[in-house]
Amino acid sequence: MDPWVVLLGWALAIPVIALAIFRLDRRVDERTVPFMAILAAGIFVAQMLNFPVGGGTTGHLIGATLAVVLLGLNGAIVVMTAILVIQCLVFGDGGLTALGLNLLNMAVIAPLVAYGVLRALKGHEGAAVPVASWASVFLASLACGLMLSASYVISDGAFGIIGSVAIPAMAGWHAVIAIGEAVITSGVVLFLKRVAPEMLEINGPEEAGA
Amino acid sequence: MSRRGCLKAAMVVLLLFAIGLVGYFALSAGSPDGLERVMEDNGVEEGDQLWSAPLDYGGDWGTAFVAGLIGFALTFGAVYLYLKVYLKGGSARRKA
């Protein structure tokens, strides 16, 4: 990645995450702390499990939509940030410089898209979660494709991938991977609705107040 | 959520992970994910790492499961501690 694109990633991601942390502070209560921590840990292990999508490529869950459904937007941003930082620092998944862009895509863009779709489709129970999951992955991958293309242009081809290749390739693979995200997220949400409906209500006040 | 509920949820997540790993090694291990595939197809190499991480995700069922356990515990601990400390600060501020 081009250094300028890296800097831009950090510059965009940090204020949003800081705002989410600030706003979360006013919402979180003693009761939800262990639940948030378990969910974060669960999403961490879920991200390790790749599933094949054909053509010798695999995909794995991002989990942003699941986090938004269960914790609201601010909670999801904070949880996704924690997961990505640990993946980067402890497991070397994604370099330190790329962390800003990864945060922007998976801890900011993906939860924002999921939140937007969930709100827009409020009342359409069956469609909201799968559509939000699919869109969050697809748009985050599109953003990643744009970053790769921007790197290519700014660095005169030294970094990144030319846009005419990067954007369709990222979008193409992730349109399929996003179906996996939609199926898994919907499955988990339906399951929780059945066995532990109170979990889906934790973010109620935040949604109403947001 | 009660302490018991949390413990149960953690056990369920880890059990599903243990089972999921079997599928992962049967079907997906070694294949690139979406981003890695695009990078590979276009011959983009990752640059030198500024930071070398102490652990990786493991190469077989056992090591990957241990990596998952460590990641689960670390993520749980980090979010839990952070929120606890933050809550303490928050309630102190509200009282002040």
Side-chain angles (χ1 to χ4, degrees), chain A residues 21-22 24-26 28-31 33-38 40-42 44-46 48-52 55-60 78-79 82-83 86-97 102 144 148 160-161 165-166 169-170 173-174 177 199, chain B residues 1 6-7 9-10 13-14 16-17 20-21 23-24 27-28 31-39 41-42 44 46 49-57 64-65 67-80 82-84 86-87 90 93-94:
Chain A
I21 288 174
F22 173 74
L24 184 69
D25 178 37
R26 298 184 300 179
V28 102
D29 77 69
E30 205 81 21
R31 236 167 15 101
V33 170
F35 175 61
M36 281 185 75
I38 293 256
F44 178 97
V45 297
M48 278 178 68
L49 297 171
N50 290 43
F51 48 83
T57 305
T58 66
H60 61 81
V78 172
V79 160
I83 293 167
I86 289 173
Q87 281 179 342
C88 169
L89 293 182
V90 183
F91 293 95
D93 190 3
L96 194 56
T97 40
N102 285 331
C144 180
L148 288 166
I161 301 169
V165 175
M170 281 303 285
W173 286 116
H174 287 88
I177 292 170
M199 281 184 188
Chain B
M1 198 150 87
C6 279
L7 200 65
V13 171
L14 289 174
L16 287 176
F17 175 63
L21 268 182
Y24 167 74
L27 299 169
S28 311
S31 304
D33 70 19
L35 174 61
E36 289 161 357
R37 173 62 186 261
V38 173
M39 304 285 263
D41 285 353
N42 292 283
V44 177
E46 282 187 38
Q49 304 256 326
L50 283 179
W51 164 260
S52 48
L55 297 173
D56 59 37
Y57 290 138
F65 185 70
L69 271 184
I70 295 170
F72 186 91
L74 274 178
T75 312
F76 180 88
V79 173
Y80 189 87
Y82 172 77
L83 289 174
K84 278 282 175 192
Y86 220 106
L87 274 180
R93 275 198 297 282
R94 276 192 289 276

Side-chain angles (χ1 to χ4, degrees), chain A residues 1-206:
Chain A
M1 280 290 175
D2 184 79
W4 286 107
V5 178
V6 168
L7 278 178
L8 184 71
W10 283 107
L12 289 173
I14 286 174
V16 182
I17 293 167
L19 184 69
I21 288 174
F22 173 74
R23 294 184 51 169
L24 184 69
D25 178 37
R26 298 184 300 179
R27 301 281 182 192
V28 102
D29 77 69
E30 205 81 21
R31 236 167 15 101
T32 57
V33 170
F35 175 61
M36 281 185 75
I38 293 256
L39 184 71
I43 291 177
F44 178 97
V45 297
Q47 287 196 359
M48 278 178 68
L49 297 171
N50 290 43
F51 48 83
V53 293
T57 305
T58 66
H60 61 81
L61 201 72
I62 295 180
T65 308
L66 183 63
V68 171
V69 170
L70 296 174
L71 302 174
L73 179 61
N74 296 313
I77 292 175
V78 172
V79 160
M80 294 306 297
T81 301
I83 293 167
L84 289 168
V85 169
I86 289 173
Q87 281 179 342
C88 169
L89 293 182
V90 183
F91 293 95
D93 190 3
L96 194 56
T97 40
L99 180 62
L101 295 169
N102 285 331
L103 284 171
L104 185 60
N105 284 331
M106 289 180 276
V108 174
I109 295 175
L112 277 174
V113 169
Y115 180 75
V117 173
L118 286 171
R119 281 197 75 120
L121 290 181
K122 213 166 194 174
H124 304 272
E125 289 267 314
V129 172
V131 174
S133 319
W134 190 87
S136 68
V137 174
F138 185 73
L139 289 177
S141 78
L142 212 56
C144 180
L146 281 173
M147 290 163 184
L148 288 166
S149 337
S151 277
Y152 189 85
V153 173
I154 295 172
S155 67
D156 240 351
F159 298 101
I161 301 169
I162 190 165
S164 57
V165 175
I167 296 171
M170 281 303 285
W173 286 116
H174 287 88
V176 186
I177 292 170
I179 297 174
E181 176 103 7
V183 169
I184 296 170
T185 307
S186 307
V188 173
V189 170
L190 284 176
F191 176 75
L192 287 178
K193 211 171 243 178
R194 182 165 286 198
V195 301
E198 72 276 8
M199 281 184 188
L200 296 164
E201 283 153 21
I202 284 176
N203 69 352
E206 179 180 358

